[in-house]
Amino acid sequence: MTIVLVGLTAMITGHELAAQHSFGVVGGFSFTNSNDSNANVRMMTRYNAGLTYQLKLPLGFSIQPSLIYHAKAATMKNVQGVEGNLTTNCGYVELPVSIQWGPDLVLFRPFLDVTPFVGYGVNASITADNGPSTKKWDETGLNRWEYGIGLGVGLEIWRFQIIGRYNWNLGNLMDLKGVPANEIAPLMKEAWQGRNYGGITLTVSFMFTSK
């Protein structure tokens, strides 16, 4: 009898765990800048959008990977060779994996969020005041790959989820070993050597299915 009860409990628990998943869409605003405040003119507003999947685990944990397009930008001053500002716009296909913990309070669920991410650059637009510009990534000398981590808080209500997160890009945005020989790349090297994107993202997810 005990063996039967244990078996039934395991089956029920396994079924419940397997059913705690949902798919949805995610989108929001990004407020990005350079991680060097002395070189940054102002925080710039861009956007992110894509698809997401949530798997809920026991003890209030959940894992939520997403596949998004993330636009980032920074306007920088005091760049040698530029009379004015240097504005960098980049677009990445990113894979952030949100690791969440928070209690289910029936009507809503507050949670803490840790999100490592990796991304691949797909487009770039560089503009220098009174200077050269380009819309080709290969002319900028920037790294295609990016990676980092975000920390934030969130709130889940019904099928909606809201997350506020600060993101740190790690590594170097500039590919110091592959700087092309043109007008714009030396300006980018001066602006971005030892620096990277940082900033805040505010996202809203809507889950189409929830079990």
Side-chain angles (χ1 to χ4, degrees), residues 86-168:
L86 179 70
T87 301
T88 307
N89 289 279
C90 297
Y92 296 88
V93 174
E94 278 188 356
L95 178 63
V97 180
S98 175
I99 302 169
Q100 305 169 0
W101 177 84
D104 188 348
L105 303 179
V106 183
L107 296 180
F108 61 94
R109 173 180 171 256
F111 59 87
L112 302 175
D113 165 89
V114 178
T115 303
F117 64 88
V118 63
Y120 182 79
V122 293
N123 63 274
S125 174
I126 314 301
T127 304
D129 293 351
N130 302 316
S133 62
T134 185
K135 292 185 178 180
K136 296 181 180 180
W137 192 290
D138 293 339
E139 295 180 357
T140 65
L142 297 177
N143 278 318
R144 285 280 189 178
W145 290 99
E146 60 154 10
Y147 61 95
I149 191 167
L151 299 177
V153 293
L155 183 65
E156 191 173 298
I157 303 176
W158 189 52
R159 295 189 180 184
F160 289 95
Q161 186 184 87
I162 304 170
I163 300 178
R165 181 186 298 130
Y166 189 87
N167 304 280
W168 289 270

Side-chain angles (χ1 to χ4, degrees), residues 7-197:
L8 289 174
T9 302
M11 291 177 60
I12 294 171
T13 303
H15 180 269
E16 290 178 350
L17 291 176
Q20 298 298 308
H21 63 89
S22 54
F23 296 88
V25 294
V26 60
F29 294 100
S30 303
F31 306 94
T32 57
N33 56 22
S34 161
N35 63 357
D36 185 343
S37 59
N38 293 325
N40 185 252
V41 176
R42 66 182 183 275
M43 184 172 286
M44 302 189 72
T45 304
R46 291 297 183 265
Y47 66 94
N48 57 83
L51 304 174
T52 189
Y53 167 80
Q54 185 186 56
L55 175 64
K56 289 189 175 181
L57 302 172
L59 304 177
F61 287 95
S62 64
I63 297 177
Q64 187 168 327
S66 302
L67 184 64
I68 64 173
Y69 176 80
H70 195 169
K72 302 180 180 183
T75 296
M76 308 176 76
K77 62 181 179 180
N78 302 326
V79 177
Q80 185 176 352
V82 178
E83 296 181 2
N85 300 326
L86 179 70
T87 301
T88 307
N89 289 279
C90 297
Y92 296 88
V93 174
E94 278 188 356
L95 178 63
V97 180
S98 175
I99 302 169
Q100 305 169 0
W101 177 84
D104 188 348
L105 303 179
V106 183
L107 296 180
F108 61 94
R109 173 180 171 256
F111 59 87
L112 302 175
D113 165 89
V114 178
T115 303
F117 64 88
V118 63
Y120 182 79
V122 293
N123 63 274
S125 174
I126 314 301
T127 304
D129 293 351
N130 302 316
S133 62
T134 185
K135 292 185 178 180
K136 296 181 180 180
W137 192 290
D138 293 339
E139 295 180 357
T140 65
L142 297 177
N143 278 318
R144 285 280 189 178
W145 290 99
E146 60 154 10
Y147 61 95
I149 191 167
L151 299 177
V153 293
L155 183 65
E156 191 173 298
I157 303 176
W158 189 52
R159 295 189 180 184
F160 289 95
Q161 186 184 87
I162 304 170
I163 300 178
R165 181 186 298 130
Y166 189 87
N167 304 280
W168 289 270
N169 269 59
L170 307 175
N172 198 323
L173 183 66
M174 195 70 196
D175 182 2
L176 300 178
K177 296 180 180 180
V179 179
N182 57 37
E183 289 183 292
I184 197 72
L187 303 180
M188 295 300 296
K189 183 176 180 180
E190 169 67 23
W192 286 103
Q193 185 171 354
R195 305 187 184 107
N196 215 317
Y197 283 120

